[in-house]
Amino acid sequence: MRWSRLAALILALAVSTTLGGAVVQETRAASEFDGAAALRHVERLVALGPRPAGSPAAARARRYIVDALKSAAVSVRVEPFEADTPHGRLAMANIVAVLPGRRPDVILIGGHYDTKWFRALTFVGANDGGSSTALLIELARRLRERPREYTYWIVWFDGEEARETWTATDSLYGSRRMAAELARTRKLPRAVIVADMIGDRDLGIRREASSAGWLTDIIWASAARLGHASHFLPDSLAVEDDHAPFMRLGVPATLLIDFDYPPWHTPEDTLDKVSARSLQTVGSVLLDALPAIETALTRSRGGRP
């Protein structure tokens, strides 16, 4: 009888350990970034063809993003606006997925979903526009599955690309619009992270020179911890992107971009240049870095970390 009880106890412990391991494994799987799924999003976006701001294809891309988020039970809103461009007044729209946290303070993670307009060539923007769009869809799906101290806005900016030549007024239409509106209502985010052109098969992201150093440091530390230091390089370069309008308002912001990309703004920026592994690397690093970013913001008590 004593041996039977002992055997039952051993069996119960074994079952408990197995189930506990399964729960841990399931939790870990829920928070892991799926690069293959992100690449499938890129494939479907590229199939729409060129997607410059204000075009019917851009509207179809917008519908694709919204449908993907709704199917993942992520709350999403579309914020339409009109912008004066060298090609006249164009209808554009930012997309905002909202993931409420225990506090209302917002961490914004964004990127653009438009592609550069060209008159004489077909530019499908697999990496430049497609990779950031896909990364954010999967990031929203993963963030929804785990507890959050802060509220997250995942934002797809429209009109990042210049219609003609990059100037202060012909570029960053969506992010300039959002930053100005949030400043007007005094609802600026606590931190901003922007991703752009992060799907390159030969991934090498340099530190953006004007970005908030502490925010960049946390992301680079996560990359090193996960074994991706070879893709997050120590040298820097200056790039103006959708983080810039928020930085000008004093919001800590950083940019992840691999600007060493020969097919940039050419017809060769096609699906075969984008890698599921690169998408997974960037997505995994961001998911790993966010808790440390939340901790740094909390410890700052309203000031700068």
Side-chain angles (χ1 to χ4, degrees):
M1 185 67 177
R2 185 177 64 187
W3 284 106
S4 297
R5 288 176 179 172
L6 180 60
L9 179 60
I10 292 172
L11 178 60
L13 287 171
V15 170
S16 176
T17 302
T18 301
L19 290 176
V23 170
V24 171
Q25 185 175 2
E26 183 178 349
T27 302
R28 184 181 298 117
S31 63
E32 287 179 353
F33 190 89
D34 190 341
L39 185 62
R40 288 193 291 273
H41 293 310
V42 178
E43 181 179 7
R44 292 160 188 161
L45 290 162
V46 166
L48 298 176
R51 305 172 298 283
S55 69
R60 289 193 290 272
R62 189 158 54 246
R63 173 49 53 192
Y64 177 84
I65 297 165
V66 170
D67 288 347
L69 294 169
K70 287 182 176 179
S71 70
V74 175
S75 175
V76 58
R77 65 177 184 260
V78 176
E79 298 182 345
F81 63 97
E82 291 188 346
D84 291 317
T85 79
H87 299 162
R89 194 163 180 83
L90 296 178
M92 302 186 189
N94 293 327
I95 306 165
V96 184
V98 179
L99 300 163
R102 283 186 283 266
R103 61 172 70 200
D105 305 77
V106 170
I107 296 174
L108 188 157
I109 307 174
H112 73 97
Y113 70 98
D114 62 308
T115 57
K116 171 83 173 150
W117 178 87
F118 288 101
R119 179 177 286 104
L121 60 85
T122 301
F123 178 71
V124 297
N127 190 30
D128 191 7
S131 67
S132 56
T133 303
L135 177 90
L136 296 178
I137 293 172
E138 283 305 303
L139 199 63
R141 289 164 58 92
R142 294 311 177 201
L143 281 173
R144 189 193 67 82
E145 296 166 350
R146 72 185 200 182
R148 300 166 299 279
E149 179 67 21
Y150 282 73
T151 294
Y152 282 87
W153 287 4
I154 312 299
V155 180
W156 290 258
F157 293 115
D158 202 355
E160 184 267 351
E161 300 284 6
R163 298 295 296 189
E164 292 289 349
T165 303
W166 189 282
T167 66
T169 55
D170 186 17
S171 66
L172 308 180
Y173 291 95
S175 54
R176 286 192 288 117
R177 168 78 178 204
M178 176 172 283
E181 181 63 21
L182 293 177
R184 185 185 66 80
T185 58
R186 299 183 179 181
K187 295 180 180 179
L188 289 169
R190 291 291 307 279
V192 171
I193 303 168
V194 168
D196 190 4
M197 294 171 60
I198 40 72
D200 184 358
R201 286 181 174 274
D202 184 20
L203 186 66
I205 300 174
R206 291 172 170 79
R207 298 171 65 100
E208 200 284 308
S210 63
S211 294
W214 69 267
L215 195 52
T216 306
D217 287 344
I218 290 175
I219 295 172
W220 259 244
S222 282
R225 182 167 53 253
L226 295 177
H228 300 311
S230 62
H231 301 298
F232 285 74
L233 308 177
D235 51 327
S236 65
L237 78 165
V239 180
E240 186 177 26
D241 210 308
D242 283 314
H243 66 314
F246 297 94
M247 290 182 59
R248 288 193 279 268
L249 294 171
V251 178
T254 191
L255 169 67
L256 306 182
I257 188 169
D258 179 358
F259 211 57
D260 183 13
Y261 183 63
W264 178 61
H265 286 183
T266 73
E268 283 70 50
D269 184 4
T270 47
L271 185 64
D272 58 302
K273 309 301 191 307
V274 177
S275 162
R277 176 172 294 184
S278 295
L279 292 165
Q280 181 154 349
T281 294
V282 177
S284 299
V285 167
L286 282 174
L287 287 174
D288 185 80
L290 290 175
I293 292 170
E294 291 190 0
T295 298
L297 290 171
T298 300
R299 287 176 177 171
S300 70
R301 296 182 181 179
R304 290 180 179 273

